[in-house]
Amino acid sequence: MTTTLDPELEQLVYERPDSLVDCATHYCPGCTHGVAHRLIAEVIDEMGIREKTIGVASVGCSVFAYNYFNFDFVQAPHGRAPAMATGVKRVLPDRFVITYQGDGDMASIGMAEVVHAAARGENICVFFINNANYGMTGGQMAPTTLPGQKTSSSPSGRDIETQGYPIRAAELLATLDGASYVVRRSLHDPKNIRLAKKAIRTAFEVQARGLGFSMVEMLSICPTNWGMTPLQSLQWLEEKMVPYYALNDFKVHPAVAEIRI
Amino acid sequence: MPPKGRIEVNELLCKGCELCVGACPQKVIALDMDRITPKGYHPASLISDGCTGCGICAVVCPEAAITVFRETIKVRANQ
């Protein structure tokens, strides 16, 4: 189906990055996990570090990330990706080590691992996808579920009296001295997707310079479990999630601020 | 006159989520209801002229299924 390109007549504006395997993903239609995958793959292509990158996959919808990224990947037990990435990075310090985790993985069972990896200032990048529920298991309430949000395990909405408040992971990690770059971005419109890509690039540059722990949180949609169409989900994210999870740079070390991309 | 562009949608990857339909500034993308992909979705496709090759559909596509082309400056200069 691909027609050949005549360089006299047409130029290529965009094509699928080489760091993504040429296969369909298992994600639901419209899931912005795919956007996050693509942004990471584009950055790795731009930096030319595909042969030097090792990813650590989490448990959740992103459990099959190793099937979709065209570079080395290992699979960590539930929530333990930052601990495994610590080991990989210490054994192979010349490689780029990233973890790709969802909110059910990083913000609940894996909270201890990521907090201590950040406190130690491990030289790894954590990419955190926040879609406000446990997507893979059927949309149960996660630590990041908004107050009043209906999920399959909070059918009348999250009650903060009994179930507490959502965790803002980026703000929490930004308080640690070992973290050098902690930001939150969103994937709901083209502008914010481009800002997210820039943040991912900065996170890789932080690791290249050995400046320590970096984390990029990306607000994501989950159309299937939110019970909406993908376009309605984008609107819901913008109207409900963005006011609660502010899009901001929470920690930028002075040495990171000097990086020019 | 804006540049002319076109997109190619990989129908093995497209899941008909319509994110590109909502994002297209020229409103020239829609699901092709006459076609069906091997996965059983209606794929996105260009419905009319007016594509400028801006690439915004490719920026929002979660499946990285869209390849974007734009006419070269040389072609534009000759018009």
Side-chain angles (χ1 to χ4, degrees):
Chain A
M1 65 163 285
T2 309
T3 49
T4 50
L5 178 75
D6 183 351
E8 285 289 309
L9 298 175
E10 279 184 319
Q11 65 188 47
L12 188 64
V13 178
Y14 182 86
E15 68 174 346
R16 190 180 170 85
D18 291 337
S19 292
L20 282 182
V21 176
D22 202 9
C23 72
T25 64
H26 73 285
Y27 300 118
C28 306
C31 177
T32 43
H33 259 303
V35 176
H37 278 39
R38 208 192 62 227
L39 296 181
I40 293 169
E42 285 175 9
V43 168
I44 287 172
D45 279 3
E46 283 170 15
M47 295 177 72
I49 54 173
R50 183 149 64 99
E51 304 290 323
K52 285 168 56 182
T53 304
I54 300 173
V56 184
S58 64
V59 172
C61 282
S62 53
V63 70
F64 293 127
Y66 51 79
N67 285 335
Y68 309 137
F69 284 116
N70 198 6
F71 49 84
D72 291 338
F73 239 89
V74 283
Q75 170 65 46
H78 201 356
R80 273 60 185 168
M84 199 178 215
T86 298
V88 174
K89 184 71 182 178
R90 289 188 179 194
V91 172
L92 300 166
D94 61 324
R95 309 296 165 90
F96 288 85
V97 181
I98 66 168
T99 75
Y100 186 96
Q101 301 176 269
D103 54 341
D105 185 84
M106 199 201 87
S108 61
I109 189 169
M111 191 52 114
E113 274 70 20
V114 75
V115 168
H116 284 277
R120 292 192 304 268
E122 295 296 341
N123 196 19
I124 59 173
C125 302
V126 172
F127 298 117
F128 170 44
I129 313 298
N130 180 355
N131 62 6
N133 68 29
Y134 283 85
M136 185 181 81
T137 50
Q140 288 85 359
M141 189 179 73
T144 48
T145 297
L146 299 178
Q149 184 185 344
K150 288 180 182 171
T151 66
S152 57
S153 60
S154 59
S156 51
R158 180 174 185 157
D159 178 9
I160 51 172
E161 290 289 328
T162 52
Q163 288 139 2
Y165 290 93
I167 294 174
R168 294 184 176 103
E171 283 92 327
L172 193 152
L173 293 178
T175 61
L176 299 169
D177 291 336
S180 54
Y181 185 64
V182 180
V183 298
R184 183 183 290 120
R185 296 290 183 260
S186 176
L187 299 175
H188 70 273
D189 63 21
K191 177 194 163 194
N192 283 287
I193 290 172
R194 289 203 164 107
L195 290 173
K197 183 177 174 185
K198 198 171 178 195
I200 291 171
R201 176 72 190 254
T202 307
F204 274 95
E205 297 286 352
V206 167
Q207 188 172 156
R209 287 163 173 74
L211 294 174
F213 183 87
S214 54
M215 199 271 270
V216 179
E217 174 174 346
M218 285 172 266
L219 301 183
S220 179
I221 62 171
C222 188
T224 301
N225 290 312
W226 292 356
M228 302 175 199
T229 67
L231 290 173
Q232 288 168 341
S233 302
L234 293 179
Q235 204 175 358
W236 193 89
L237 190 157
E238 190 176 1
E239 288 171 4
K240 300 285 168 61
M241 279 183 82
V242 172
Y244 197 91
Y245 294 108
L247 306 178
N248 209 343
D249 298 354
F250 296 103
K251 177 91 178 266
V252 181
H253 190 275
V256 176
E258 289 172 9
I259 296 175
R260 292 284 170 267
I261 299 168
Chain B
M1 209 174 116
K4 284 200 183 80
R6 69 184 172 93
I7 61 167
E8 274 179 10
V9 179
N10 184 336
E11 294 189 0
L12 296 174
L13 302 178
C14 179
K15 290 177 183 162
C17 68
E18 295 193 294
L19 291 191
C20 55
V21 176
C24 179
Q26 306 296 328
K27 303 290 173 210
V28 292
I29 307 179
L31 296 192
D32 187 346
M33 301 315 260
D34 297 331
R35 294 180 59 80
I36 200 155
T37 69
K39 278 187 174 289
Y41 299 108
H42 296 296
S45 67
L46 281 180
I47 49 168
S48 62
D49 295 340
C51 176
T52 60
C54 67
I56 286 178
C57 51
V59 169
V60 299
C61 179
E63 306 300 328
I66 303 178
T67 311
V68 185
F69 303 93
R70 186 191 299 145
E71 65 184 358
T72 55
I73 294 166
K74 204 171 158 185
V75 173
R76 292 192 68 196
N78 292 337
Q79 280 172 356

